[in-house]
């Protein structure tokens, strides 16, 4: 029998689960997971935000489900069970988007389906949900998804602003009127490599502020 | 000149540790060693020092670029008169017209690039790197003359920060910074890096005489077919539209001669790159395939940026292969790639830039295998002996 712990819902330990992934344990900039979708959906801000929310829902719910089932899942087939749970959630999210946000769903195309293969989700289920109770697993899911999401939103902000001259679809550059002075949108920001370079710059800024993240030279 | 030296000596204490202008020490050092040979004397260890330090090497490359710059200035004027139907300009008039048009490009390139270099040196406490002296001269020479200055500044900033400073400054960069700037411009603002108007001053605003096309030879092949190419002699002399410094093979050859005589440029890379392109061109002439394969092989050497790239870009001592065997492999593959990209990829008429950048990335790998092969060979020799 497990000893029943009395721990408040938002104790310091639990709060850490939420806040660590935002900074020093960020899935994208520190663990370098989920890069593929960060390249694909960050051309415009709106899809990136929807993507961030979708990942949050999928990750939080699958974390809770797996954490509740963790004692019943046989170790040998745990990956398959995890996949089934994730796939179910992804299909629900995908259908939901198709029903209520068809345009964005079309824009995200296969990348909603590909949340299944997002390394962050498998990683959290395997590393955290399999060994923790549902409530911390839920917080961990939210934290990691938000850590992933806010990087996505920053990258997409710069790519949309510099590449298309707008923010969330609003044509900022045109309203300011810089085009009249010969300004042009930067075509390279729309190409996938610039997402990598932008993520790289975020990593640069983050590591110059937080020296503990810098790896030692071997 | 001793007046200047006295002045500098007098100012030196200001920049020493504890001096009032200590923070600007690297700036002072940069200027002092630029003007005079460093007065450092070694007290022990190796006493043989070469005056041929990095600054002098860089200055020789800049000198080697001057013929291309001068001809480029003249050619800008010449192309301008052709496009707008001006008939009464003298040679000097064309030259001055072109020179005044290219001057802003050079100034913007140096101010932006050196500005970032100075700031980076202050932040890191390094000495100022001389590498930008050459890069700053190369960049205007590989740009279309009509490129907007702010775009030039943005691409220079990108090249210096992302292409060079991130890796640790001069000597650490993987890619040739000048080509990084050009590639950035090419992918960011494609309308300003291709087509048939940007290569001639003033043509983007229209107003050319009828039936005038300002397309570069490489674009002419794609647009109108091989039959419409300018004559080989014209392309060799360089009276064709193109980036500022790349058109005249003669001017570039003079530069190459300077680099080779002084030993600054690597003849291995220049030779193997030329042979690689020539060989690939001949092979494609034989096999056929699409119509571009029928471009005579030696045309590849005088069209577009090949000559300029082979002499000034591929030989960049930092981003090229370092070992002698590696230089042959690096050069040959670059030459082959140039022709392949030109012939088989209609989206990128100019293959030189992309080929050199790609091979820059491969250079450390080539060196690694050359070194490993050498080690294996010598280990074997020791064992058998």
């Amino acid at each position: 029998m497990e000893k029943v712990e009395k721990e408040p819902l938002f104790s310091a330990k639990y709060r850490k689960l939420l806040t660590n992934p935002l900074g020093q344990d960020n899935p994208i900039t520190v663990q370098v997971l989920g890069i593929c979708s960060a390249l694909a959906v960050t051309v415009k801000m709106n899809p990136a935000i929807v993507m961030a929310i979708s990942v949050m829902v999928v990750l939080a719910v699958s974390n809770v489900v797996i954490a509740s089932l963790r004692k019943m899942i046989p170790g040998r087939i745990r990956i398959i069970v995890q996949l089934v749970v994730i796939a179910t959630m992804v299909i629900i999210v995908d259908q939901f988007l198709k029903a209520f946000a068809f345009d964005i769903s079309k824009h995200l195309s296969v990348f909603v389906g590909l949340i299944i293969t997002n390394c962050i989700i498998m990683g959290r289920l395997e590393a955290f949900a399999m060994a923790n109770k549902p409530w911390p697993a839920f917080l961990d899911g939210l934290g990691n998804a938000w850590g992933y999401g806010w990087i996505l939103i920053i990258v997409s902000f710069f790519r949309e602003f510099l590449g298309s001259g707008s923010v969330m679809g609003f044509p900022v550059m045109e309203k300011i009127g810089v085009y009249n002075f010969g300004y042009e949108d930067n075509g390279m920001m729309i190409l996938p490599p610039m997402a990598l370079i932008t993520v790289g710059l975020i990593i640069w800024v983050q590591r110059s502020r937080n020296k503990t993240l810098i790896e030692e030279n071997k | 000149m001793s007046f200047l030296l006295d002045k500098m000596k007098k100012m030196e204490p200001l920049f020493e540790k504890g001096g009032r202008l200590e923070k600007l020490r690297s700036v002072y050092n940069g200027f002092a060693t630029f003007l005079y040979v460093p007065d450092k004397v070694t007290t022990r260890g190796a006493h043989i020092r070469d005056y041929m330090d990095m600054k002098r090497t860089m200055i020789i490359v800049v000198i080697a670029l001057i013929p291309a710059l001068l001809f480029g200035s003249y050619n800008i004027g010449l192309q301008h008169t052709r496009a707008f139907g001006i008939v009464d300009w003298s040679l000097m008039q064309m030259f001055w017209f072109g020179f005044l048009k290219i001057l802003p490009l050079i100034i913007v390139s140096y101010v932006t690039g050196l500005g970032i270099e100075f700031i980076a040196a202050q932040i890191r406490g390094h000495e100022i790197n001389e590498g930008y002296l050459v890069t700053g001269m190369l960049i205007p020479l590989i740009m279309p003359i009509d490129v907007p200055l702010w775009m030039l500044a943005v691409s220079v900033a990108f090249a210096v920060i992302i292409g060079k400073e991130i890796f640790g400054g001069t000597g650490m960069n993987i890619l040739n910074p000048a080509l990084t700037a050009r590639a950035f411009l090419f992918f960011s603002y494609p309308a300003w890096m291709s087509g048939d108007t940007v290569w001639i001053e003033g043509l983007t605003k229209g107003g050319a005489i009828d039936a005038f096309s300002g397309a570069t030879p490489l674009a002419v092949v794609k647009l109108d077919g091989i039959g419409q190419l300018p004559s080989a002699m014209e392309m060799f002399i360089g009276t064709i539209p193109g980036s500022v410094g790349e058109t005249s093979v003669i001017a570039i050859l003079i530069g190459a001669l300077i680099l080779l005589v002084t030993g600054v440029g690597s003849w291995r890379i220049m030779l193997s790159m030329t042979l690689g392109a020539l060989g690939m061109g001949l092979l494609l002439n034989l096999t056929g395939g699409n119509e571009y394969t029928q471009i005579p092989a030696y045309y590849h050497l005088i069209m577009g940026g090949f000559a300029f790239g082979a002499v000034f870009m591929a030989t960049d001592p930092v981003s090229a292969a370092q070992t002698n065997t590696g230089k042959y492999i690096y050069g040959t593959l670059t030459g082959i790639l140039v022709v392949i990209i030109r012939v088989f990829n209609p989206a990128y008429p100019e293959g030189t830039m992309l080929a050199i950048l790609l091979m820059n990335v491969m250079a450390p790998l080539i060196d690694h295998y050359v070194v490993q092969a050498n080690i294996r060979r010598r280990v074997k020799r020791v064992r058998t002996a």
Side-chain angles (χ1 to χ4, degrees), chain B residues 88-164:
Chain B
D88 55 348
W89 278 16
S90 69
L91 195 139
M92 270 324 270
Q93 247 175 320
M94 291 184 198
F95 173 78
W96 273 113
F97 176 83
F99 189 73
L100 291 180
K101 289 297 170 191
I102 193 178
L103 205 56
L105 295 188
I106 298 177
I107 293 172
V108 167
S109 157
Y110 271 119
V111 168
T112 319
L114 284 179
I116 295 171
E117 288 262 2
F118 273 53
I119 294 169
Q122 302 308 318
I123 293 176
R124 292 209 173 114
H126 285 184
E127 286 198 21
I128 288 166
N129 290 320
E130 302 81 354
Y132 196 76
L133 287 179
V134 172
T135 312
M137 199 64 197
L138 283 172
I139 289 177
L141 290 181
I142 52 174
M143 292 292 171
I145 187 64
D146 246 11
V147 68
L149 292 177
W150 72 268
M151 283 183 191
L152 181 68
V154 170
S155 55
V156 166
F158 179 87
V160 175
I161 297 174
I162 307 279
K164 200 159 114 184

Side-chain angles (χ1 to χ4, degrees), chain A residues 90-158:
Chain A
V90 167
I91 290 168
I92 293 172
V93 167
D94 194 23
Q95 294 299 320
F96 182 86
L97 284 180
K98 277 192 180 133
F100 296 103
F102 188 64
D103 283 341
I104 288 183
S105 156
K106 252 198 333 204
H107 196 104
L108 287 170
S109 67
V110 311
F111 291 103
V112 175
L114 282 179
I115 295 177
I116 298 174
T117 60
N118 193 322
C119 341
I120 298 171
I121 297 179
M122 278 298 269
R124 287 334 287 172
L125 292 189
E126 183 70 7
F128 196 89
M130 284 301 283
N132 284 283
K133 289 183 176 174
W135 174 244
F138 175 72
L139 294 179
D140 179 78
L142 279 188
N144 275 285
W146 180 232
Y148 164 86
W150 83 271
I151 298 291
L152 228 62
I153 291 168
I154 293 179
V155 173
S156 65
F157 169 77
F158 283 113

Side-chain angles (χ1 to χ4, degrees), chain A residues 181-189 191 194 197 201 204, chain B residues 150-151 154 158 161-162 166 183-184 187-189 191-192:
Chain A
F181 298 105
Y183 176 82
E184 274 180 43
D185 291 327
N186 187 324
M188 192 148 139
M189 291 306 283
L191 302 176
M194 270 326 259
I197 293 180
L201 291 176
W204 185 16
Chain B
W150 72 268
M151 283 183 191
V154 170
F158 179 87
I161 297 174
I162 307 279
I166 275 192
F184 178 81
F187 287 107
S188 295
Y189 310 104
W192 292 94

